[in-house]
Amino acid sequence: MYQYNEFDHAFLKDRTAEFRDQVARRLAGELTEDEFKPLRLMNGLYLQLHAYMLRVAIPYGTLSAKQMRQLGMIAKRWDRDWGHFTTRQNIQYNWIKLDDVPDILDALAEVEMHAIQTSGNCIRNVTADQFAGVAADEIEDSRVWAEIIRQWSTLHPEFTFLPRKFKIAITGSEHDRAAVKLHDIGLRMRRNEAGETGFEVIVGGGQGRTPIVGETIRDFLPKQHLLSYLEAILRTYNLLGRRDNLYKARIKILVAAVGIEKFAEMVEEEWLEIKDSALALEPEQIRAIEEHFAPPQYETIAEPVAGFDAARFTDPAFAAWTRTNLFPHKQPGYAVVTVSLKPAGGVPGDATSAQMEALADLAEKYSLGELRIAHEQNVVLPDVRKQDLHRLWQELGEQGLADANIGLITDIISCPGLDYCNLANARAIPIAQRISRHFADPALQSEIGPITLNISGCINACGHHHVGNIGILGVDKKGVEHYQITIGGIADENAAVGRILGPSFPAEEVVDAIDTLIATFRKIREEGETFIDTVQRVGIQPFKETLYANH
């Protein structure tokens, strides 16, 4: 993991002291809310429906056990004993008192964390594949490049007041687990014909009220030019992006307006001016960052691992968990574990302070002290020996963290919705809880198979409803919460935006509507098909007909 140097520590100390003074002036009445608002937003502090919400950055979703333990301590001491992991791999605390915030920021700084650039019209937390560095299908560790981008973009003077917020995602694998085509800039690591690694550069993706799948403007960018090319894209956007209309200010609107070819041409023209400037990355600069992410000293473990296989044979519940929650590790004898934060009837992405402390302990005991946060709102233990998996699963179970549902219908992505967010039109959490309880039977989930179901409480789409195989969007219909349903969305390398099925449903009918869609799928699917396979084969019409015939 990246370790802070003296400059990083001093910077955070000064920044927290500055905000402590600003908070004191606000509490003393020396600053109005209008004057204080831009200051608090620059430190990740929102004012929501019921209280202040603090959004803490988890760069590219990577945490040490020490950092996770500190997040749990903050939840216990200054919030209501829990935190909410988000689709940008951050954590939010929803019940924060303003006068506690400087102390919280000090506590974060102790473990090399902060809340800077988690709000406002700047470059937000860079997201990455949660399996980076350990995935068997990886070209290269994308965390190295996410960290280089983080350092370049933090307090970048030219990009502090962009037309709108700006999101970058990066993946190092052919299979995209970071939803790069749904970001302002998406980066996919590639090899060229000479065997060199570089980046495919995608721009103009995004969700919100105008969902667009990003398009490629460069098939291969040599690694040393990453920052100069990003700078050229940001300069083009900063110069031409609209500032007169909040809803038309994202880069995707600019790209759509000028056309992808013209936008690429403008970026290339700007890039030629700065390509060989100080932004060009020297090999020693890249090596210095790579050293922070050097692989740990793995043990040599022969496959197959007898104890692991025996436990799978004798313990059906453990075997079921290994089928859904494990991912192949590049090192023989190890596995990547995804810990579900989606128990039946639970709130997607929530973890109590006790669970965070337990996850920190388990990371130290079984995963070389490291954890990851997935944009699907789960926690990953990236380096677990296979002979330890059965014991780990048992200890996760003691904390209510052993659900075997990754990639299944109860692995729901959900934003906080109207329970907390002052932008939301409808509640998302209760809908997620009802659907989760309805499909809680493990045998039923297994029979349905792989599927994504995402819920947003408003058109801002923080719950990624546009790209769920089934998407649910909360809308306000004459003062009553309703829910619009889409199907066909995909978030990976074949990204697609789901299609609306028809009129929305009141809250009490949503579970039945989803049940009807699943029943239709089970009736018409062909052998081996997943839900999205069937939708792509038959289209939305069969689902639409059964849905509205029954409702």
Side-chain angles (χ1 to χ4, degrees):
M1 287 184 59
Y2 180 75
Q3 302 292 312
Y4 277 19
N5 57 28
E6 287 185 16
F7 172 84
D8 297 321
H9 284 289
F11 165 71
L12 274 196
K13 184 179 179 181
D14 291 346
R15 179 68 177 243
T16 303
E18 179 185 62
F19 192 56
R20 184 180 292 279
D21 177 65
Q22 292 164 350
V23 169
R25 290 160 61 200
R26 172 64 183 137
L27 291 171
E30 297 172 11
L31 292 175
T32 66
E33 168 55 21
D34 286 345
E35 292 168 329
F36 182 60
K37 183 177 179 179
L39 303 176
R40 63 173 168 78
L41 289 178
M42 284 194 282
N43 290 280
L45 187 64
Y46 290 74
L47 186 54
Q48 296 285 48
L49 285 175
H50 312 296
Y52 284 99
M53 180 273 281
L54 182 66
R55 181 180 293 154
V56 177
I58 301 175
Y60 34 93
T62 299
L63 281 172
S64 68
K66 182 179 180 181
Q67 289 172 325
M68 178 64 97
R69 191 170 288 112
Q70 194 80 334
L71 293 179
M73 184 279 290
I74 290 170
K76 187 174 185 178
R77 181 172 178 182
W78 287 299
D79 202 278
R80 294 189 176 180
D81 207 28
W82 52 269
H84 175 75
F85 292 102
T86 77
T87 52
R88 286 213 67 72
Q89 300 178 306
N90 295 317
I91 185 170
Q92 293 180 178
Y93 297 104
N94 286 312
W95 296 97
I96 294 299
K97 295 177 181 174
L98 179 57
D99 52 351
D100 289 333
V101 174
D103 290 338
I104 297 172
L105 295 182
D106 275 339
L108 290 169
E110 288 174 7
V111 293
E112 303 184 349
M113 298 185 76
H114 59 74
I116 299 167
Q117 290 188 200
T118 58
S119 61
N121 294 332
C122 55
I123 300 172
R124 301 289 187 88
N125 185 36
V126 177
T127 52
D129 181 355
Q130 64 268 27
F131 300 154
V134 294
D137 63 349
E138 182 173 79
I139 296 172
E140 202 169 289
D141 188 346
S142 56
R143 292 174 303 166
V144 173
W145 302 97
E147 174 58 28
I148 288 172
I149 297 169
R150 187 194 70 82
Q151 294 190 17
W152 161 78
S153 62
T154 300
L155 300 191
H156 192 306
E158 194 173 335
F159 306 136
T160 301
F161 298 102
L162 292 166
R164 197 72 178 89
K165 59 187 173 184
F166 202 91
K167 300 176 180 178
I168 301 173
I170 180 169
T171 180
S173 300
E174 285 292 327
H175 177 53
D176 176 17
R177 289 178 287 267
V180 298
K181 290 188 175 180
L182 285 310
H183 282 72
D184 297 299
I185 296 177
L187 299 168
R188 296 180 70 185
M189 299 212 75
R190 295 287 198 188
R191 288 190 196 281
N192 63 12
E193 293 180 353
E196 300 163 326
T197 53
F199 303 95
E200 176 189 354
V201 182
I202 301 160
V203 300
Q207 299 194 62
R209 65 182 58 240
T210 311
I212 295 177
V213 175
E215 296 187 72
T216 299
I217 60 169
R218 208 168 217 285
D219 292 323
F220 187 84
L221 176 72
K223 292 193 293 189
Q224 68 268 29
H225 296 305
L226 176 63
L227 295 187
S228 60
Y229 205 80
L230 293 182
E231 185 115 346
I233 295 171
L234 265 297
R235 282 187 175 183
T236 305
Y237 168 56
N238 203 19
L239 180 66
L240 300 176
R242 291 183 61 173
R243 297 173 189 269
D244 62 322
N245 186 331
L246 179 70
Y247 304 119
K248 297 184 182 298
R250 298 292 292 268
I251 192 173
K252 61 188 174 185
I253 304 299
L254 172 63
V255 172
V258 303
I260 190 69
E261 292 83 8
K262 178 62 177 175
F263 186 81
E265 185 182 310
M266 290 189 291
V267 169
E268 292 283 330
E269 185 178 339
E270 176 66 30
W271 182 51
L272 287 177
E273 297 290 327
I274 59 175
K275 175 182 175 183
D276 298 315
S277 67
L279 290 166
L281 289 161
E282 299 294 336
E284 56 269 24
Q285 291 176 279
I286 300 172
R287 278 196 295 273
I289 300 299
E290 285 175 336
E291 288 175 1
H292 289 278
F293 299 95
Q297 291 295 316
Y298 291 115
E299 296 177 25
T300 300
I301 301 173
E303 296 264 18
V305 178
F308 170 64
D309 290 340
R312 293 182 72 188
F313 184 75
T314 58
D315 190 334
F318 172 65
W321 180 78
T322 65
R323 286 194 292 271
T324 54
N325 293 45
L326 301 189
F327 186 81
H329 198 291
K330 63 172 60 174
Q331 180 70 19
Y334 284 78
V336 185
V337 174
T338 299
V339 179
S340 173
L341 295 182
K342 321 286 179 59
V347 179
D350 276 12
T352 65
S353 64
Q355 288 176 325
M356 285 188 261
E357 290 165 10
L359 285 166
D361 292 342
L362 293 172
E364 288 176 337
K365 189 174 180 180
Y366 295 115
S367 185
L368 305 177
E370 188 172 318
L371 309 97
R372 312 283 178 80
I373 306 302
H375 86 269
E376 294 91 349
Q377 301 175 288
N378 293 308
V379 176
V380 173
L381 298 173
D383 292 303
V384 182
R385 299 186 308 174
K386 287 187 175 178
Q387 64 243 45
D388 293 332
L389 284 168
H390 190 242
R391 173 69 66 172
L392 169 64
W393 172 74
Q394 291 173 320
E395 295 187 33
L396 286 169
E398 294 169 4
Q399 303 297 328
L401 294 168
D403 287 82
N405 63 348
I406 299 302
L408 302 181
I409 194 166
T410 60
D411 186 12
I412 298 169
I413 293 177
S414 173
C415 72
L418 196 55
D419 284 293
Y420 298 99
C421 180
N422 58 9
L423 298 177
N425 294 317
R427 289 168 292 174
I429 291 172
I431 299 297
Q433 291 175 307
R434 290 175 203 167
I435 293 172
S436 173
R437 289 192 196 97
H438 183 79
F439 291 102
D441 178 8
L444 175 60
Q445 293 190 62
S446 178
E447 200 275 328
I448 295 169
I451 188 172
T452 58
L453 192 157
N454 303 348
I455 307 172
S456 299
C458 76
I459 196 61
N460 290 301
C462 294
H464 292 194
H465 68 277
H466 290 302
V467 292
N469 297 166
I470 296 176
I472 301 175
L473 166 65
V475 296
D476 177 69
K477 197 169 182 179
K478 297 180 179 178
V480 179
E481 295 168 74
H482 276 62
Y483 296 86
Q484 190 178 70
I485 297 175
T486 56
I487 63 171
I490 307 172
D492 64 15
E493 64 275 14
N494 302 307
V497 174
R499 295 176 62 188
I500 299 171
L501 288 175
S504 58
F505 295 88
E508 61 272 18
E509 295 182 15
V510 173
V511 172
D512 283 346
I514 301 305
D515 194 60
T516 299
L517 293 178
I518 294 301
T520 304
F521 159 63
R522 294 170 72 190
K523 183 178 180 181
I524 66 175
R525 70 177 170 187
E526 295 184 349
E527 185 174 354
E529 277 188 339
T530 63
F531 181 85
I532 195 64
D533 291 337
T534 301
V535 174
Q536 291 178 332
R537 177 173 58 82
V538 304
I540 69 170
Q541 195 60 31
F543 294 92
K544 187 173 182 176
E545 288 173 0
T546 55
L547 183 61
Y548 289 99
N550 293 338
H551 296 275

